[in-house]
Amino acid sequence: MSPTPPARRLRLHLPRRMFAQVLLMQVAIAAGVAVLATGLFLAPLSDQLDDQAMRRALSIAQTTAQPQIAEDLTDTPATAGGPVQREAERIRTATKAEYIVVMDRRGVRWSHPTPSEIGRLVSTDPGQALAGHDVMQIDSGTLGRTARGKVPLRDGDGKIVGAVSVGIAYDSVRARLLHAIPGLFAYAGGALAVGALAAWLISRRVQRQTRDLAFSDISALLAEREAMLHGIREGVVALDRGGRIRLLNDEARRLLGIGDEAVGRSLDEALGEGRTADVLAGRVTGTDLLTVRGQRVLVANRMPTDDGGAVATLRDRTELEQLGRELDSTRGLIDALRAQDHEHANRMHTVLGLLELEMYDDAVEFVGEVVGDHRDTAEQVAEKIQDPLLAALLVGKAAVAAERGVALSLADRTGLPDRLIDPRGLVTIVGNLVDNALDATAGTSHARVEVELQAEGRTATLRVRDTGPGIPEEQRELIFTEGWSTKQRPAHRERGIGLPLVRRLAERQGGSATVGEAAGGGAEFTVVLPEALAAADLEPALAVPSDPHAHTVAEEESR
């Protein structure tokens, strides 16, 4: 015989869809509340009906305990036809009580619904009633379980001569209780039906809002969303309809330099007033909007959501901007080398011609002039600018300027010691301003750019003047706005970052960057850096190290 297969367990499976689960749970809750309310109502109702029955029995007993009954009790014998029995039966019939028993002080019955019980002792203790106390109770006797009321029976002088006991059948009390139950269940059923309808309407709304997904699907979506938000290399900022931050992923915290304390706050409170807050809040519209946050160049896009909020994404363009600027520098270097090569070939041809003509003295003089010009420029820069990074930058810019037909010179008052706290930051500032000046003056007659660097105490002041067309007064603040530029955009990157970066670097050191009109026309940019130099009594090596990230954002043409 084959073994009997084990009995399968019966397992109840909840429906998978959220709509069905929510409806089932709400109906179950409504049913539980209806049953609980019915039970809580029935429990005190039974006690109330008992109390009413006992008080009714006591009231009938008090009505029966009349002085006339007391007089008949003392003057007549305990017989089935006596006056006490007749009066008690009359009251019992009129009040529909179960029994009315009149007894003397010995507990002998003088009245009873069953005449054969007259003359016998009562079945319950009448001691409290014979002692002068009113008694209400639920008790069992010869006629079964009854609600009883007992009172003392007094004669005309107030002397206790017996007691009256009245009983109301407990079945009648229970019948009243059972009679009330169908009505209660009807009300409970109506409440349950209303609750089920409300549950169905709520479940339908939940179904529409959750697109009829199961709880497990929603849980999986939330888990995937968390993994995606914190795993992608783009910053994500979610805003509610009031413009407050409600979500930040890890990359957004890193790019914006804020933490969880920003959640629940407005953008202006969390980021401070500026272009970054304006872009994320939607006060500046467009796609792939550029903004600078600290030392980072960010590209922002904003998408409104159905609930009135928005989701903004941020991409770090710092490295791309750096590569783009390095590419620009490389192209510029290539152009300069090509021009130098061409010029060098011309000079060599000149020297060769002078030698062939045996004009040796003229050849020597020509070579000296060529070498001297370059040496003079380098020596002049090194003498006035003692920081090697900044001096090298200006020597290189002078060569580029010469190839572009622009005279780049240092002002007579220029003097900068080798005590810069952030030399790379100042290199970025000077490079941006000189490149802008070269672009503005290139192709004009008598093109000239003058750089002035002065140190006073710990304050460094930079002025870059050019002979270009200048900046209209109404645009002198606009040019420091991120993304604004009058130049044609290169194919590989955005414009409009350099001058905002100059101002940002200056303000980071507590300084300022402004533009005005140079003497004789053109533009004059002025940058004041109050804490740019280390104290004079400190060695340069003891100065505060420069920001290692400062070089990640290089020069950007912007005018």
Side-chain angles (χ1 to χ4, degrees):
M1 296 179 61
S2 60
T4 304
R8 294 182 178 177
R9 292 184 179 179
L10 294 177
R11 301 179 65 181
L12 297 177
H13 295 278
L14 289 175
R16 188 170 180 272
R17 293 298 179 185
M18 179 184 289
F19 166 74
Q21 290 189 30
V22 172
L23 178 60
L24 182 61
M25 287 188 293
Q26 290 185 327
V27 169
I29 292 172
V33 171
V35 171
L36 179 62
T38 302
L40 292 176
F41 182 78
L42 288 177
L45 178 63
S46 177
D47 294 337
Q48 291 174 4
L49 293 177
D50 288 347
D51 184 71
Q52 290 177 5
M54 290 186 294
R55 290 185 180 278
R56 181 165 171 261
L58 183 65
S59 178
I60 294 173
Q62 290 171 343
T63 300
T64 305
Q66 302 174 2
Q68 183 60 46
I69 296 292
E71 185 179 344
D72 292 338
L73 180 68
T74 56
D75 294 343
T76 60
T79 61
V84 175
Q85 172 69 0
R86 291 195 303 270
E87 183 63 19
E89 283 298 298
R90 185 186 67 79
I91 296 174
R92 184 183 70 83
T93 303
T95 58
K96 297 182 180 180
E98 182 70 15
Y99 65 84
I100 296 179
V101 174
V102 179
M103 67 194 80
D104 59 13
R105 291 189 61 82
R106 296 172 300 169
V108 176
R109 298 186 183 99
W110 286 69
S111 66
H112 197 278
T114 304
S116 60
E117 295 290 333
I118 296 175
R120 297 181 180 181
L121 293 175
V122 295
S123 57
T124 57
D125 182 18
Q128 289 185 327
L130 293 175
H133 302 292
D134 293 344
V135 179
M136 295 189 303
Q137 60 185 184
I138 301 293
D139 206 349
S140 299
T142 57
L143 296 178
R145 189 171 178 82
T146 56
R148 299 183 177 185
K150 297 179 182 180
V151 298
L153 180 61
R154 303 175 186 272
D155 60 12
D157 296 330
K159 180 182 178 182
I160 298 176
V161 297
V164 177
S165 177
V166 177
I168 296 177
Y170 196 79
D171 288 341
S172 64
V173 178
R174 185 168 55 189
R176 293 176 60 192
L177 177 61
L178 294 176
H179 179 72
I181 289 177
L184 292 176
F185 280 146
Y187 287 118
L192 178 60
V194 173
L197 178 61
W200 182 82
L201 294 175
I202 294 173
S203 300
R204 290 291 295 175
R205 179 177 177 82
V206 172
Q207 181 185 27
R208 289 193 300 269
Q209 292 182 337
T210 60
R211 301 183 182 180
D212 201 23
L213 293 174
F215 282 112
S216 58
D217 295 335
I218 295 177
S219 177
L221 286 174
L222 289 176
E224 292 170 1
R225 188 199 73 162
E226 289 298 312
M228 178 183 66
L229 284 177
H230 298 292
I232 61 176
R233 295 295 295 169
E234 282 196 4
V236 178
V237 181
L239 307 172
D240 61 17
R241 66 176 58 193
R244 294 180 295 271
I245 299 174
R246 62 184 180 188
L247 183 144
L248 288 167
N249 70 344
D250 296 339
E251 186 68 3
R253 294 186 180 94
R254 184 181 73 87
L255 296 178
L256 297 176
I258 57 178
D260 292 333
E261 72 279 355
V263 176
R265 302 169 63 187
S266 68
L267 288 168
D268 291 334
E269 293 174 344
L271 303 177
E273 296 182 358
R275 178 175 171 83
T276 302
D278 292 340
V279 168
L280 297 182
R283 294 190 286 266
V284 178
T285 58
T287 58
D288 291 338
L289 297 173
L290 285 177
T291 180
V292 177
R293 179 71 179 174
Q295 291 297 309
R296 299 189 181 278
V297 179
L298 306 177
V299 178
N301 285 282
R302 188 176 187 275
M303 177 65 69
T305 56
D306 294 338
D307 62 355
V311 174
T313 59
L314 299 168
R315 285 174 289 160
D316 190 353
R317 285 282 298 273
T318 306
E319 295 181 0
L320 293 178
E321 290 296 325
Q322 179 188 6
L323 292 175
R325 294 186 183 95
E326 290 180 357
L327 179 60
D328 281 349
S329 300
T330 302
R331 288 178 175 175
L333 179 60
I334 291 173
D335 292 339
L337 290 175
R338 185 181 295 113
Q340 288 283 1
D341 178 67
H342 185 269
E343 184 178 358
H344 179 70
N346 291 334
R347 290 171 178 173
M348 292 301 296
H349 291 157
T350 302
V351 172
L352 179 60
L354 291 173
L355 293 176
E356 289 179 350
L357 295 175
E358 298 182 356
M359 301 173 65
Y360 303 116
D361 293 337
D362 292 336
V364 171
E365 182 180 356
F366 178 75
V367 172
E369 290 178 357
V370 171
V371 174
D373 289 343
H374 183 74
R375 182 186 299 116
D376 289 345
T377 300
E379 290 177 352
Q380 180 188 22
V381 172
E383 180 182 354
K384 295 184 177 182
I385 306 296
Q386 299 178 16
D387 182 82
L389 287 179
L390 195 57
L393 172 71
L394 290 174
V395 170
K397 294 296 183 183
V400 174
E403 297 303 328
R404 299 179 65 176
V406 180
L408 175 61
S409 63
L410 292 178
D412 295 337
R413 293 180 295 177
T414 295
L416 188 69
D418 187 14
R419 290 188 286 112
L420 289 176
I421 293 177
D422 184 11
R424 293 183 178 179
L426 188 55
V427 164
T428 299
I429 293 174
V430 173
N432 273 282
L433 295 181
V434 170
D435 283 344
N436 285 339
L438 294 179
D439 289 342
T441 56
T444 63
S445 58
H446 307 292
R448 181 178 180 82
V449 174
E450 183 181 60
V451 178
E452 178 181 334
L453 272 165
Q454 288 185 313
E456 183 177 351
R458 299 186 61 184
T459 300
T461 303
L462 166 67
R463 293 183 177 87
V464 178
R465 308 178 185 92
D466 61 60
T467 57
I471 306 295
E473 185 174 357
E474 65 274 8
Q475 294 182 357
R476 290 177 183 174
E477 282 300 316
L478 188 61
I479 62 173
F480 291 102
T481 302
E482 295 167 26
W484 190 91
S485 177
T486 59
K487 302 176 186 177
Q488 184 178 2
R489 171 185 170 181
H492 62 279
R493 60 187 173 89
E494 298 283 348
R495 285 196 179 273
I497 296 178
L499 289 179
L501 181 59
V502 167
R503 174 168 281 184
R504 183 69 58 86
L505 290 172
E507 291 177 348
R508 190 183 66 176
Q509 300 183 33
S512 62
T514 58
V515 62
E517 184 177 357
E524 178 178 355
F525 286 86
T526 303
V527 178
V528 179
L529 305 175
E531 302 293 332
L533 299 171
D537 56 344
L538 293 179
E539 293 295 330
L542 298 180
V544 180
S546 62
D547 185 355
H549 300 292
H551 67 284
T552 61
V553 182
E555 305 90 87
E556 166 66 22
E557 300 92 356
S558 174
R559 186 182 292 260

